[in-house]
Structures are given as C-alpha cells and as structure tokens.
Amino acid sequence: MFDFTKKLTFALSLAFAFVLNAFAIHEEFSEGYEFSSSIASSKMQERPMSLYKDGKVVFFKGDSAFIATIGDMYDLIDIQPCPELQDLGIEGTFAYDQKRRTIYFAKTDEVGNSDLYQSKWVDGAYSYPTKLEIEGLNKVRKPIRGSSTVTAGWTYRYNRISGFFNPTIAKNGNRIYFSADFPKKSFGGRDIWYIDKARSTDEVGWKMPENASDSIIIMNSNARDDYAWCYGDTLLYFASNRKGGFGGMDIYVSHLKTIKREVTDTTTGKTSVIEKEIWDEPIHLDSVFNTNANDYNIIGSPKICLLMSNRQGGKGSDDIYRPAPFQATREPELTPDFPLDEPRGFHWVLMFFDFNQTQMKPEYEAQLDELVSAMNEFPGAIFEVSGHTDARGSDQYNLKLSAKRADYIRQMLISRGLDPTKLVSVGRGFHDPVIPNAQTEAEHEQNRRADIKILNE
C-alpha cells in the first residue's frame, strides 16, 4: 500500500491546472463600488448571514431570525421575520441543502460542546434538531493491553469541548465545510475543515473530518480561520486574522487547483503519479472589502456580494454591508491662474486631471514641452513619473486610476523623444496628497496630478 505519512518522495507537478469554473463573486464589485451599510442593518447587532432556499438571505438579530430577498439595486429588500428558523438554536452560519430540504448548523449543548446538528423540513416545519453522526466523533485514543499501538480513530474533543462552527454546504449537499479547533491535524488556531457524506450503507452518516488545507500548499494558518463559504465548489471564501492583513478579521479567497504528486510505495519501491485537488494559497481581498476592523462572513450570488463588518460608519457594532456604486458630487471646474514652477531638486508637478479621467487637460499639455527641455539637461538621469488622485473612491480603484495617469504622462514624454528606459511610472492613489483632507473641488483638483522626479540623484 502507499504510505502517505512516511513518504520517500513527494513532488509537485511542474504544471498546475486551475479549476475555475465559477466566476469569482467579489470581482464584479472590485472597481467602482464602495461597501456601505445595508438597509437590513440597525443599531442592534446583526448576526452572521446564510443563503437560504430560493436564493434568499437569512440573518439574526438577537434571538430573532429574518429573511430577505436580494434586490436589483445591490441590497436586501422585503425583510420579514422568519419564524421557521426561530427556535432551532442556530449559532453562527448554517448550511442549507435545498435538494434534501435539510438545514445543518452548529449548536452548543448544556456542557459547552459545540456540535453539528441537522433538521429536516417535514409537514411544513423543521423537525427537532438531531446531532450529526460523524465518523470518529466519539472515539478516544486508548492503549491496547500488551501493545504500544492505539485504537483506530481519534477524538475531536479537547478539554471536554467539541468545536464545530459556522458550516456551509458544497458538492451538491454531499460536503459540509466548517471551522473547528481540533488539536490533531491542525495548523494552529481555528482551521477550516470539511466532512463528506458517507456513500456506503455500512458507514456512519458522515465521514471523518478532514483539514481543508494541504500540507504542501497551505491554506489554513496558525491564527483563526473561520466563516468559510464555498461558491461553485471551486472558490472558498473565509475570514482570518492571520498576519499580513489590514487588522482584525480580513476576507480571503482560495481557488481549487489540481496538483500531480509523485508517490513511492514503501513496500515495492515503485513510484507513481497521482492527481489531487487542493485549495491554493489564499488571496487577500483588497481594501474595497477589507478594513482595519473585523470583516467576515462574505456570501453572494451573481447579483450581489454581502459581508459582515464592525467598521466605522455603520449603524451598529456589526452590520451587514453591501456594494454601492461609487458616486461623487463635484463643484464647477477650477481654472488655475498661476504658473507651475520647477521646485528644488527637480520636482515637477503637472496639473490637472479631470475627475475620474486618465488624460490631462489639454491646456496643460503645452507644459510638457518645457518639462522635456528641462529633463534633457540630465542625460544620465532616470525619472519617476507618479500619478495621483483625490481622496474620493476606494483605495484599489484610485491606485489603478493613478497608475493609468502616470503611464499616460510617460507615453506623452516618450512621444516627445525621451528614452523609455529612463522613465518609470507608478501610481500612488490618494496616499500622497498636496492638500490633505481636501474639501472643495479646487482642493481636490490640485491632488489630481502627476509628479516627475529624478530617482538616481
């Protein structure tokens, strides 16, 4: 048999095959949108959301359940009480299998154990919750008399506490992802795990839990990884407070990929190549989605993307946030009546760009000829062209816009005969304003500029 724990050689295939059949929900709202508090939010703390039957969304406020429809304007509408889910004891997110009309959720018992339960829709109501039968759940490692070996299976209980949290459904109802604090096979902290439905009548209802992270390409961390949500079986969104984020819990996404692994049979010495699906190294979503507060519980559909956050500007402590198209009001254009001087150290400033535009106003392009003459006096210099925006709009959007502005100026200089290898363009968004905390259009316009400096002075 193949020994996967005491392998002689494991090798990743040189060619990775991505399985990207599902469109990444967040990509639709990465540009041109800001996340704002939903009309479903209130001063009362909202609790995690879950997708329910017919594509609706369920969330809790205190002990009360509410159901809402996804509207056409990127928000929840027709918010109503949901009494059918009121008294099941649901804690956190739940997983709904529409085909089997069954709901799975975590629930804490009287001694503090948090386990997975199920309830089925029968005769117009949900049945009394019953604990899932999961292989190995109650097995305890014990020495066999006269031997140093141990019994098969392992315990999920740690210090008498069993931790199953925030389940989500996958693989047409045959897999449940959840988070857990299991001490064995863990990467540390709380990890994302899964259980598969048993296919044989001889097996327990659900197979033994497996860590969702591979040991070669690691998705889980030694911090808290929680609130998994699987979309299309090829994208796994989750929240984590691992290092490298903006602060608090941040949202990440991992893509399913297929690797080829070389395995050696420890008995015969022969090697073979197997294929295995694993979750890739997670990608940290940008500042459109993440802040320095707790951002978590992302769910969505092709029509909407929702998340929970306790960021500033909400209605309460934890709100539901939804994407809103970014719109900024503007005042009449400012026409500057002063010349642009060359500051000391060769720092030229070219203004102005129109709001949300990458091309400089035509009346200022004539200054490029004067700039080119000055730059030609430094034949060995390498110049940086940096683009800038005003503070309106998301960080990610403005970084892209400023990079386009810088590249536009660079191309204009090249067209006037400057060496392309001596010009470097970079976008700095709104992080280096001429006028911090700009309020008027005149002030915003001065921040929409391009700076030209010598890098190798």
Side-chain angles (χ1 to χ4, degrees):
M1 61 178 292
F2 292 114
D3 187 343
F4 294 100
T5 60
K6 295 182 179 180
K7 58 190 181 299
L8 295 182
T9 49
F10 275 92
L12 285 176
S13 168
L14 295 178
F16 287 149
F18 280 88
V19 185
L20 297 177
N21 297 325
F23 174 77
I25 290 297
H26 69 280
E27 291 181 354
E28 175 70 20
F29 305 101
S30 292
E31 291 189 24
Y33 292 86
E34 302 264 81
F35 273 76
S36 60
S37 186
S38 167
I39 60 173
S41 298
S42 66
K43 291 183 179 180
M44 189 175 184
Q45 179 177 350
E46 278 70 45
R47 289 167 49 202
M49 307 170 290
S50 302
L51 290 176
Y52 194 38
K53 54 188 175 184
D54 302 322
K56 295 188 177 182
V57 174
V58 167
F59 62 95
F60 290 79
K61 294 184 183 183
D63 295 328
S64 301
F66 294 87
I67 188 169
T69 300
I70 297 174
D72 294 330
M73 299 303 294
Y74 312 110
D75 206 347
L76 298 176
I77 60 173
D78 192 24
I79 302 166
Q80 303 289 337
C82 187
E84 63 196 52
L85 299 178
Q86 187 71 46
D87 299 318
L88 296 178
I90 298 172
E91 298 174 0
T93 65
F94 63 79
Y96 178 68
D97 184 346
Q98 185 152 326
K99 182 178 66 174
R100 297 179 176 90
R101 306 181 78 182
T102 301
I103 189 170
Y104 304 98
F105 55 93
K107 182 180 178 182
T108 303
D109 63 21
E110 64 279 0
V111 296
N113 292 318
S114 179
D115 289 299
L116 290 182
Y117 289 76
Q118 69 175 6
S119 184
K120 296 187 178 183
W121 185 262
V122 180
D123 297 330
Y126 279 107
S127 62
Y128 185 80
T130 58
K131 192 181 299 185
L132 287 191
E133 295 184 10
I134 302 174
E135 180 186 0
L137 179 60
N138 296 314
K139 292 183 180 180
V140 180
R141 294 171 60 91
K142 294 180 179 179
I144 299 175
R145 181 173 299 179
S147 172
S148 61
T149 60
V150 295
T151 57
W154 52 282
T155 179
Y156 295 95
R157 302 197 179 279
Y158 184 59
N159 293 335
R160 299 180 180 271
I161 299 297
S162 177
F164 291 76
F165 307 95
N166 299 315
T168 186
I169 204 80
K171 291 188 177 293
N172 201 27
N174 293 313
R175 174 172 290 185
I176 296 175
Y177 287 96
F178 60 94
S179 55
D181 302 304
F182 303 152
K184 186 175 180 181
K185 299 183 181 179
S186 170
F187 290 88
R190 181 176 292 186
D191 284 354
I192 307 297
W193 294 72
Y194 68 88
I195 52 175
D196 284 332
K197 204 169 188 63
R199 298 189 178 185
S200 170
T201 56
D202 297 331
E203 297 177 288
V204 179
W206 293 86
K207 294 184 178 181
M208 185 176 290
E210 296 286 346
N211 196 298
S213 182
D214 189 84
S215 60
I216 294 181
I217 299 178
I218 298 176
M219 181 193 71
N220 282 314
S221 69
N222 60 359
R224 179 186 176 187
D225 303 302
D226 206 344
Y227 295 100
W229 177 65
C230 191
Y231 180 72
D233 292 329
T234 61
L235 295 171
L236 189 65
Y237 292 87
F238 63 94
S240 178
N241 61 353
R242 64 185 64 192
K243 292 181 179 180
F246 294 152
M249 298 284 287
D250 280 3
I251 299 172
Y252 294 77
V253 63
S254 178
H255 295 80
L256 189 69
K257 71 188 312 181
T258 301
I259 65 169
K260 291 183 179 180
R261 179 176 287 176
E262 194 175 87
V263 183
T264 300
D265 189 322
T266 56
T267 303
T268 64
K270 294 182 179 180
T271 61
S272 62
V273 176
I274 63 171
E275 288 190 351
K276 183 180 180 180
E277 289 185 340
I278 66 173
W279 291 108
D280 200 5
E281 184 176 347
I283 299 170
H284 181 245
L285 299 194
D286 58 39
S287 59
V288 177
F289 303 89
N290 288 317
T291 66
N292 60 1
N294 288 321
D295 307 293
Y296 61 100
N297 187 206
I298 187 171
I299 61 174
S301 73
K303 294 176 61 177
I304 200 171
C305 182
L306 300 170
L307 58 88
M308 299 286 298
S309 180
N310 64 347
R311 64 186 65 181
Q312 292 184 349
K315 300 175 183 176
S317 57
D318 286 54
D319 281 4
I320 297 171
Y321 280 80
R322 56 92 177 190
F326 174 71
Q327 296 179 340
T329 58
R330 59 179 301 171
E331 300 175 8
E333 291 289 343
L334 169 71
T335 303
D337 55 1
F338 56 89
L340 292 174
D341 298 323
E342 178 185 342
R344 293 182 61 187
F346 199 95
H347 175 194
W348 284 68
V349 181
L350 295 174
M351 297 183 282
F352 299 104
F353 289 88
D354 242 331
F355 175 75
N356 203 33
Q357 298 298 312
T358 60
Q359 294 185 349
M360 193 169 61
K361 290 184 177 181
E363 57 264 36
Y364 298 110
E365 290 186 6
Q367 298 168 5
L368 286 170
D369 294 330
E370 183 181 353
L371 171 61
V372 169
S373 296
M375 293 171 71
N376 283 330
E377 295 180 7
F378 300 87
I382 297 177
F383 296 91
E384 178 190 84
V385 181
S386 59
H388 302 264
T389 69
D390 60 36
R392 295 173 293 182
S394 70
D395 188 19
Q396 184 72 9
Y397 182 80
N398 281 326
L399 284 172
K400 292 181 180 179
L401 178 61
S402 63
K404 291 179 181 178
R405 287 175 175 171
D407 192 58
Y408 166 78
I409 297 298
R410 180 178 181 272
Q411 294 301 323
M412 295 288 283
L413 294 173
I414 292 172
S415 68
R416 284 164 167 77
L418 289 179
D419 185 352
T421 64
K422 303 295 184 181
L423 298 172
V424 177
S425 63
V426 62
R428 302 198 185 280
F430 54 77
H431 295 292
D432 188 18
V434 172
I435 302 178
N437 303 314
Q439 300 296 320
T440 67
E441 181 61 26
E443 293 172 336
H444 283 308
E445 193 166 20
Q446 292 185 61
N447 287 333
R448 300 195 300 264
R449 69 193 193 281
D451 290 349
I452 298 87
K453 299 179 182 179
I454 294 179
L455 290 177
N456 59 339
E457 285 184 310

